[in-house]
Amino acid sequence: MVDNFGLVLGREPGEDLTQPPSIYLNRPEGIEFVISELEEIINDLPASGGASIATQNAAHTLLAKAYLNRAVFLATDENTNGASAGPFTFSAADMNKVIEHCDAVMGSNMYTLEDKYFDNFSPTNTDDSSENIFVSNNVQGSNTANTHSRWHMTLHYNNQPDGWNGFVTLSDIYDLYEEDDMRRSYTPDYFEGNTGMNAGYLVGQQYAADGTPLQDRQGGPLVFTPEFSLTSSNELNGIRVIKYPPDFVTNNTPGNDYVFFRLADVMLMKAEAILRGGNATNGDTPIGLVNDIRIKRNASELNTIDLTSLLEERAREFYWEGWRRNDQIRFGTFLDSFQEKPVSTETYLLFPIPPSALSTNPNLIQNPGY
């Protein structure tokens, strides 16, 4: 709520539900509430448990996120609650808190970087992954998390499994990868006999499970192209993404748990906090932390690292995990122009408050610019 809308509504216990809520927290108040609540209860959470359990390590990771983004939320217009595009002042104290909470997770020795990257997102990922810290549990055979949309929304009608031929990604992101980077393209063993595609990014000729080249709806080759336009694309244009490998047992009601926090994120948050002025601990350096991840992903080691290249690494590591907007706002690039997008205004640093909420609560004021 703080990140997306800049406003958090709440009620006191026993409050009259027919009346508008009595609690209104703006962005600075909201992030302080999140931090204070987590710090108050963290020692009462279980020290260990499955990735779907809110453990102390899950709280440490969320606290690291909160302190890392605290400067963004504090930079709010007092009169309009409008968000700022930065640049932001990241205090050394906040960055040291990020490092403290990252060290708590890393020092627990409960997680390791996964040798097979896509095991973090597989139909049995909570069992397969040694890296996931906190996930949304999704039971195979039910449709609790709608995880199948993660591949249905991007695959073509004639892919196996088929899809809705919707979302694509941009070639600028695809071009950030080295050719052998596991995150760009990898074929899990269980894909054999079930599909002709790979996990990661789908580009070029697509194949059936038996290796037969697939066709588009007109009978031509089903070839996904890097070129894409928002206004003049056809069914072949655009690179497709398979971050969550399909569940070939129950395609429409899969078992993939939705991932919120992973060890790689903790490591890159620590690297960022050091780059932003925090004190390095335990012999860790930003370049060392980044390269530890890159080695696991079969990517070459970097010689140097700065905030620009760190944001690129976060793009490579966390695509389709829901952190890109948050990252770009913190790094000050969200409003910039990029492929298919012109420069945008500060209005879009927040989402609009839905009309349904405005119409039922006379105390709400629409976010600036909408």
Side-chain angles (χ1 to χ4, degrees), residues 117-149:
Y117 178 71
F118 289 98
D119 279 359
N120 294 318
F121 313 98
S122 72
T124 52
N125 54 340
T126 297
D127 295 326
D128 296 342
S129 173
S130 59
E131 187 174 328
N132 289 341
I133 297 168
F134 190 52
V135 303
S136 174
N137 189 36
N138 191 27
V139 178
Q140 189 180 64
S142 71
N143 200 30
T144 307
N146 198 28
T147 319
H148 74 292
S149 65

Side-chain angles (χ1 to χ4, degrees), residues 31-100:
I31 193 61
E32 301 300 353
F33 177 83
V34 169
I35 290 172
S36 65
E37 287 290 293
L38 285 168
E39 289 180 339
E40 182 176 339
I41 58 89
I42 191 167
N43 291 327
D44 296 325
L45 295 173
S48 61
S52 61
I53 302 298
T55 62
Q56 291 179 13
N57 282 328
H60 281 302
T61 307
L62 184 53
L63 275 164
K65 285 279 185 190
Y67 276 111
L68 190 60
N69 288 281
R70 183 170 179 264
V72 177
F73 299 141
L74 292 183
T76 298
D77 188 295
E78 294 182 0
N79 297 316
T80 67
N81 201 38
S84 169
F88 305 105
T89 302
F90 296 90
S91 73
D94 282 352
M95 296 304 99
N96 285 333
K97 293 296 287 187
V98 175
I99 293 166
E100 174 189 328

